[in-house]
Amino acid sequence: MSIATVRGEPYEALPHDLYIPPDALEVFLETFEGPLDLLLYLIRRQNLDILDIPIARITDQYMHYVELMSDRRLALAAEYLVMAAMLAEIKARMLMPRAPHEDDDGDDPDPRAELVRRLREYEQFRAAGERIDQLPRVARDVFPAQAGHPPAAATRPAPPLALDELFDAFAAVMARADLNTHHAVRREALSVRERMTETLARLQSERFVPLTELLDAREGRAGVVVTFLAILELLKDALLEIVQSEAFAPLYLRARGTQASGAETA
């Protein structure tokens, strides 16, 4: 059974020429954050009353730890030395006899009062710090969940298409087509002047001709309109006479006698 592994090679026994310096491995069971922390540790370890500190015993133990840290070549903060001087002063003041006074009523201040106040205040802050440290902490007790979504192409589904929308699109195209329609003006194939000559010639050959016979529907709307305009022009020129036998009876047209002959001669 190997007792150690060095650079991947197991060792089953210690080498005979192995030398371990005395200070190669040092273990410190207690670590302190300052002189008040060290004093509080000494008081708790001996279960002492913080309001009645045996200052001589605590001072000796404190100085023992300070000397131990000095022997281990640890850099001592100045506050440790200040606390050592403060303890030595308190110890000296408590060892010195008090001179009796006539008006002494026993209310001399305790030299340990300031130290007790600082220790109690430090104890309160330390307890609050321990309670805060027990709260859940991010990246120590609580780890936020993180999950990345896989890359995906943005696809948009096609909207449903109804038949009415197709009809609406067709109607919109037809409306735009009407706006782009070009209107070509064409010359009329029928002439009002020519139709006047034809109508007058027909009325001279026949004595009475009904108006409905002159307006021939087979010529279409354009032919009827041209014939009607020709009749109006002839009536305006007094070349025709329109007659009716009774109310609501058919209308008849005839050419005026001499005027018709003069128009034909012309």
Side-chain angles (χ1 to χ4, degrees):
M1 180 178 179
S2 60
I3 60 175
T5 301
V6 180
R7 297 181 180 179
E9 297 182 2
Y11 283 82
E12 299 180 356
L14 295 176
H16 298 288
D17 56 348
L18 179 63
Y19 172 72
I20 301 177
D23 56 349
L25 179 62
E26 296 181 359
V27 179
F28 295 92
L29 299 181
E30 298 90 10
T31 56
F32 309 104
E33 298 179 357
L36 291 177
D37 195 19
L38 175 58
L39 284 177
L40 192 61
Y41 164 75
L42 296 175
I43 293 173
R44 288 180 176 179
R45 189 182 66 173
Q46 302 179 65
N47 196 18
L48 300 177
D49 186 5
I50 195 173
L51 299 178
D52 188 14
I53 302 175
I55 197 67
R57 188 194 313 174
I58 292 299
T59 303
D60 294 341
Q61 295 178 1
Y62 182 87
M63 295 304 300
H64 173 72
Y65 271 88
V66 171
E67 293 174 358
L68 180 62
M69 287 186 286
S70 300
D71 294 340
R72 296 296 186 270
R73 298 185 299 274
L74 296 179
L76 287 177
E79 55 186 2
Y80 281 93
L81 301 179
V82 172
M83 179 59 67
M86 180 179 179
L87 291 176
E89 179 185 2
I90 296 175
K91 180 180 179 180
R93 291 175 60 187
M94 295 189 66
L95 293 177
M96 291 177 58
R98 284 183 260 181
H101 297 281
E102 296 180 356
D103 54 350
D104 189 4
D105 53 358
D107 293 337
D108 293 340
D110 192 344
R112 302 170 297 178
E114 178 63 20
L115 178 62
V116 170
R117 185 192 64 79
R118 294 177 58 183
L119 284 174
R120 296 186 64 180
E121 183 177 357
Y122 175 78
E123 187 177 19
Q124 293 177 359
F125 279 99
R126 180 175 178 176
E130 291 177 353
R131 289 195 299 269
I132 294 176
D133 188 66
Q134 292 176 359
L135 297 176
R137 186 181 302 176
V138 177
R140 188 193 68 177
D141 306 314
V142 179
F143 299 91
Q146 298 179 356
H149 58 83
T155 58
R156 180 178 297 177
L161 181 62
L163 189 59
D164 295 341
E165 298 181 4
L166 182 61
F167 291 154
D168 294 341
F170 176 75
V173 173
M174 293 300 295
R176 291 195 299 269
D178 293 339
L179 296 176
N180 297 328
T181 301
H182 300 282
H183 178 69
V185 179
R186 299 180 181 180
R187 186 177 181 181
E188 294 183 0
L190 300 177
S191 174
V192 176
R193 183 62 61 181
E194 293 178 356
R195 184 56 58 90
M196 289 173 62
T197 302
E198 295 175 0
T199 303
L200 189 58
R202 184 177 179 181
L203 290 177
Q204 288 178 350
S205 61
E206 300 180 9
R207 187 170 181 80
F208 293 102
V209 178
L211 179 61
T212 56
E213 291 185 5
L214 294 175
L215 301 176
D216 191 358
R218 292 175 297 177
E219 293 181 350
R221 181 179 298 179
V224 173
V225 172
V226 171
T227 303
F228 186 73
L229 292 176
I231 293 173
L232 292 179
E233 290 292 336
L234 291 173
L235 290 173
K236 177 182 177 183
D237 295 339
L239 298 176
L240 295 180
E241 182 181 0
I242 184 169
V243 298
Q244 186 180 30
S245 60
E246 58 182 358
F248 303 105
L251 298 176
Y252 290 90
L253 295 174
R254 67 176 181 177
R256 292 183 181 271
T258 56
Q259 295 176 358
S261 300
E264 183 178 1
T265 302

